Amino acid sequence: MPAEREPDITEFLREVVQLDPVEYSRDLKNTLELLSRDRVTQALILLSSGTAAIVAGAERTLQAVTDYLIDRNIRAEIIRTGCLGICNLEPVLSVQLPGRSRVSFGNITQEKVTPLLDDVFHNSIPDDSIIGQYRNPKHDAWFDVPFIEDLPFFKNQERIVLRDNGIIDPSSIGEYIARGGYRSFIKAIRKYTYEEICDIVEKSGLRGRSGSGYLTGKKWKAAYHTSADQKYLICNAEESDPGAFMDRTVLEGNPHLVIEGIAIASYGIGATKAFIYIRSEYIEAIKRLENAIKSAQEAGILGHNIFSSGYNLDIVIKKGPGAFVCGEETALINSLEGKRGMPQTKPPYPAIQGLFKKPTVINNVETLSNIPFIINKGYKWFSETGIEGNYGSKIFSISGKAKITGLIEVPMGTTLRSIIFDIAGGMENNKEFKAVQLGGPSGCIIPSGYLDTKVSFEALTEIGAVLGSGGMIVMDEDTCIVDMVKYYMDFMQKQSCGKCIPCREGTRRMSEILENISRKPVDENSHTTLERFKGVMQLESLASVMKDTSLCGLGKTAANPVISSLKHFREEYEEHIFDRYCRANVCTELRTYYINVELCTGCSMCAKKCPADAIFGTPRHPYFIVEDKCTGCGLCFEVCKFSAIFYK
């Protein structure tokens, strides 16, 4: 049956976190090995339980594992971990037997639990669901089982922030400390002044992992050198980009890493209060953050006079409404202050005058998660990864039509081709690659001709793209670019705060134009075609006005998908306008429907449901569709029970 939780070890952890590893006794090393699960005395079963895994049925899998152990009276410890990164293989279940390497299995649904555990507990590894085993010199490796680190998905990554995701228990502060956690924070408050911390971060070359990539150390110094009786640190975990789930996954898989990064950043700028601004929909991430903050407070890592250093720090979680515009710094600050989330003009910048008019530094989850490693290993170590001016690693969420979807972490400077084809495995069902959307809804659509572009702030700017937060949506030949851009513009229109006219009206007009060219016109004549074409011509001038006159980054970049798609895929727009044709056959309102008279039974169901009265016929005889009246809604296609209706 499942093992009970370990007794409270708070005092023990308070001692360990202050010791240098060279001071560890043999008994202490043994205890830490058990805490970090580098060695186990009984079977250990780990189940991924992030949001992706829960959607895939992880809770039912967990119940099946629990029932299996109880029914067979097997003593084992069950741990809920974060996401390993391969989201399309969720739920991921790992098993570690005493003395043997840990092994991970993918797509373990409820019905697969019993046969899988039967095999593993009888020292047999099934081939059908194996992902791989973890290399550890202290464990005996399984024969003929691939090592996780040798798989193409992991081999081409540089996992720094994601190092422990899917491996550790996110609810255990003991395991985090046993693996070296919180030592960077203790080192910071004991060995360095505020300004020295800012210097180290600035010398590392760490740039903000979203937006324009501003140097993190410079932002910190601006806040540090601004005199004030109170300063604030805000962790921006709003992450409202469609297709982006980096922050959520890190918070669910390793919340203590983020807490430590926040603590060091707060100390560096002299702040005694920090906020985590997170969208309220991230229920699992919020639960784990609350548990992590409580555990850190009990261990004395947060609170008053931390480890007798004289430094105080409180961290508060604030739930946001999930509005895209609240990802912008000044809108986020307004929301935190209880106001409507609307952007403000800059300067003054938040580092000078931010929350409650006090100096405020805002960093996102990934940026802060890099800080403990920089303090622990030094700024020179950090600059060894990446390329000149773009040091360190970058996390990307891969979704869309790639074979492998999930979360990856690669050195800055890695090419898009390497990410999509070497790591993500190329296109699903061996389709042809068409484009990749990078940078969220205000990002750019990048065609195949730019696949050798490196992921760096400057290289992407040169081709008119943006790095953004790292959301990457892969598209294949079955994707309609016009339909994709229409979705993004509809999203941006709904997310606009409405404060400035260029953004509010510009996104609405763009959405209308795209909607107009992706459906059949009411009046089929040359004048209508000209109007549709003129609408597309207006898109470029609209984009220029929005970029020059919008108040915040949302409005300035809202037209990026339109401009990039017109530049690289203009022929698809022309097909929609002149030929009323969608090559991907996605725009249903452009389809021409017809009835196969040999298959039609004359049931008249299609005619009864047609909202345009475009279907005529006599009951029990074949019916016909009048193309000039058909609006292409597809309702007839859906209701036909005899599969007699087709489209072209």
Side-chain angles (χ1 to χ4, degrees):
M1 60 183 296
E4 296 181 359
R5 294 184 61 85
E6 298 173 357
D8 181 43
I9 53 171
T10 301
E11 289 302 320
F12 171 75
L13 295 177
R14 284 175 58 84
E15 295 177 9
V16 170
V17 79
Q18 299 178 77
L19 291 175
D20 190 285
V22 297
E23 302 175 21
Y24 292 167
S25 65
R26 178 177 296 180
D27 289 342
L28 181 56
K29 288 180 180 178
N30 288 335
T31 303
L32 292 177
E33 278 188 2
L34 292 173
L35 273 176
S36 64
R37 298 183 175 85
D38 202 23
R39 178 165 58 88
V40 297
T41 57
Q42 62 181 1
L44 177 67
I45 298 175
L46 305 98
L47 180 65
S48 176
S49 60
T51 300
I54 293 173
V55 171
E59 295 299 318
R60 292 188 295 273
T61 301
L62 177 63
Q63 186 60 53
V65 171
T66 303
D67 293 342
Y68 177 92
L69 298 176
I70 293 175
D71 291 345
R72 290 158 179 78
N73 197 27
I74 297 175
R75 290 192 59 83
E77 184 177 7
I78 302 175
I79 293 175
R80 301 177 64 179
T81 68
C83 178
L84 189 60
I86 313 181
C87 294
N88 61 306
L89 294 184
E90 295 287 7
V92 173
L93 185 145
S94 303
V95 182
Q96 183 176 349
L97 301 180
R100 302 303 299 268
S101 295
R102 184 181 299 184
V103 191
S104 290
F105 305 88
N107 296 134
I108 305 303
T109 50
Q110 183 179 11
E111 65 276 4
K112 295 181 181 179
V113 169
T114 297
L116 171 66
L117 294 182
D118 279 343
D119 285 342
V120 175
F121 283 126
H122 287 86
N123 292 311
S124 175
I125 301 297
D127 296 329
D128 56 343
S129 55
I130 185 71
I131 296 177
Q133 64 178 320
Y134 296 83
R135 184 177 276 111
N136 190 321
K138 300 176 182 178
H139 304 156
D140 292 332
W142 295 91
F143 176 72
D144 205 26
V145 174
F147 287 97
I148 288 279
E149 62 196 58
D150 294 334
L151 301 176
F153 180 80
F154 293 98
K155 184 173 64 175
N156 296 294
Q157 294 190 48
E158 183 71 30
R159 292 169 75 90
I160 298 173
V161 174
L162 297 180
R163 183 190 66 181
D164 293 331
N165 256 58
I167 296 175
I168 68 170
D169 179 1
S171 67
S172 171
I173 189 174
E175 184 167 359
Y176 181 71
I177 289 176
R179 288 177 173 268
Y182 286 119
R183 285 173 180 76
S184 294
F185 177 49
I186 302 304
K187 179 181 179 181
I189 63 177
R190 286 187 165 177
K191 293 187 177 182
Y192 299 112
T193 62
Y194 300 152
E195 192 165 14
E196 285 174 335
I197 292 295
C198 294
D199 283 336
I200 292 172
V201 175
E202 184 178 19
K203 289 178 181 178
S204 73
L206 174 65
R207 300 171 68 170
R209 289 304 190 247
S210 65
S212 60
Y214 192 77
L215 279 171
T216 303
K218 281 191 175 181
K219 183 187 286 189
W220 289 14
K221 280 190 172 181
Y224 169 72
H225 288 299
T226 302
S227 298
D229 58 351
Q230 177 68 59
K231 298 176 182 179
Y232 298 104
L233 187 286
I234 300 175
C235 172
N236 184 356
E238 173 60 22
E239 191 178 48
S240 51
D241 290 8
F245 45 89
M246 297 80 64
D247 293 352
R248 183 191 70 201
T249 305
V250 173
L251 291 170
E252 290 176 348
N254 198 357
H256 284 286
L257 176 64
V258 183
I259 297 299
E260 185 172 13
I262 292 172
I264 296 171
S266 300
Y267 176 76
I269 66 172
T272 57
K273 190 163 187 176
F275 294 90
I276 300 175
Y277 187 84
I278 183 170
R279 59 189 312 178
S280 56
E281 293 94 334
Y282 283 3
I283 298 173
E284 198 65 33
I286 292 172
K287 286 180 183 178
R288 296 182 186 187
L289 274 173
E290 289 173 341
N291 176 73
I293 292 172
K294 181 180 178 182
S295 298
Q297 290 171 337
E298 292 174 350
I301 295 169
L302 298 177
H304 180 72
N305 192 21
I306 301 169
F307 289 106
S308 303
S309 65
Y311 178 63
N312 310 321
L313 178 64
D314 291 318
I315 298 178
V316 178
I317 296 174
K318 289 291 185 180
K319 301 174 186 177
F324 180 75
V325 72
C326 287
E328 196 274 337
E329 289 185 338
T330 57
L332 186 155
I333 288 172
N334 274 344
S335 181
L336 266 177
E337 291 178 347
K339 304 172 185 174
R340 184 178 177 186
M342 300 179 75
Q344 302 296 320
T345 55
K346 293 184 287 189
Y349 292 95
I352 307 300
Q353 184 176 305
L355 184 65
F356 304 122
K357 308 300 181 183
K358 305 294 183 181
T360 305
V361 165
I362 304 175
N363 291 133
N364 75 342
V365 170
E366 184 182 351
T367 305
L368 292 168
S369 296
N370 277 284
I371 300 301
F373 299 103
I374 293 173
I375 299 301
N376 181 40
K377 299 184 179 182
Y379 65 86
K380 291 183 179 179
W381 165 84
F382 185 78
S383 60
E384 290 173 357
T385 303
I387 58 176
E388 184 68 29
N390 290 264
Y391 301 117
S393 62
K394 180 72 186 80
I395 299 176
F396 291 95
S397 60
I398 301 178
S399 55
K401 300 300 183 68
K403 282 184 180 178
I404 301 176
T405 55
L407 212 64
I408 67 167
E409 185 175 3
V410 297
M412 292 289 286
T414 303
T415 64
L416 292 171
R417 185 183 303 277
S418 178
I419 291 173
I420 295 171
F421 289 92
D422 296 337
I423 299 176
M427 296 297 97
E428 190 177 20
N429 300 321
N430 295 318
K431 295 280 187 175
E432 183 180 348
F433 173 82
K434 187 171 190 176
V436 59
Q437 167 77 4
L438 182 62
S442 57
C444 298
I445 297 177
I446 304 172
S448 57
Y450 293 87
L451 276 175
D452 292 318
T453 302
K454 296 180 178 179
V455 286
S456 72
F457 294 100
E458 291 75 20
L460 289 169
T461 300
E462 286 178 7
I463 66 170
V466 294
L467 183 61
S469 58
M472 189 177 289
I473 300 177
V474 181
M475 309 174 206
D476 66 10
E477 59 191 88
D478 294 333
T479 303
C480 173
I481 296 298
V482 175
D483 182 70
M484 181 66 71
V485 175
K486 183 174 69 172
Y487 165 77
Y488 282 124
M489 290 315 303
D490 180 66
F491 175 85
M492 296 300 281
Q493 176 200 0
K494 292 175 179 176
Q495 294 297 323
S496 173
C497 72
K499 183 174 184 178
C500 65
I501 294 175
C503 177
R504 182 185 70 226
E505 298 302 321
T507 53
R508 182 186 62 81
R509 178 58 184 147
M510 282 187 168
S511 185
E512 287 175 353
I513 293 171
L514 291 165
E515 186 68 37
N516 188 35
I517 68 172
S518 60
R519 65 169 180 243
K520 284 184 178 181
V522 177
D523 183 16
E524 283 279 0
N525 56 52
S526 58
H527 176 73
T528 306
T529 300
L530 180 61
E531 287 297 318
R532 286 149 58 93
F533 185 71
K534 283 173 62 178
V536 174
M537 298 300 293
Q538 290 175 1
L539 288 175
E540 293 174 316
S541 58
L542 266 174
S544 178
V545 171
M546 290 170 61
K547 183 176 181 180
D548 293 339
T549 59
S550 291
L551 178 63
C552 76
L554 186 149
K556 292 179 183 296
T557 61
N560 280 347
V562 174
I563 298 306
S564 59
S565 62
L566 278 172
K567 178 181 178 181
H568 302 299
F569 298 96
R570 184 175 288 267
E571 70 279 2
E572 290 202 25
Y573 282 88
E574 293 173 350
E575 288 172 354
H576 281 69
I577 294 169
F578 297 112
D579 302 329
R580 319 292 197 249
Y581 170 67
C582 174
R583 64 173 66 179
N585 208 10
V586 171
C587 298
T588 57
E589 294 185 35
L590 286 178
R591 292 173 178 171
T592 299
Y593 288 87
Y594 63 94
I595 297 175
N596 186 322
V597 295
E598 295 181 358
L599 298 177
C600 181
T601 63
C603 70
S604 75
M605 182 60 69
C606 57
K608 293 176 181 177
K609 296 293 184 179
C610 180
D613 294 326
I615 302 178
F616 294 89
T618 303
R620 298 186 181 85
H621 292 83
Y623 276 66
F624 300 89
I625 298 176
V626 180
E627 290 187 10
D628 290 342
K629 297 187 67 175
C630 178
T631 60
C633 68
L635 191 58
C636 58
F637 179 81
E638 296 176 5
V639 301
C640 182
K641 299 179 180 180
F642 303 97
S643 301
I645 299 179
F646 299 84
Y647 59 80
K648 57 184 177 181

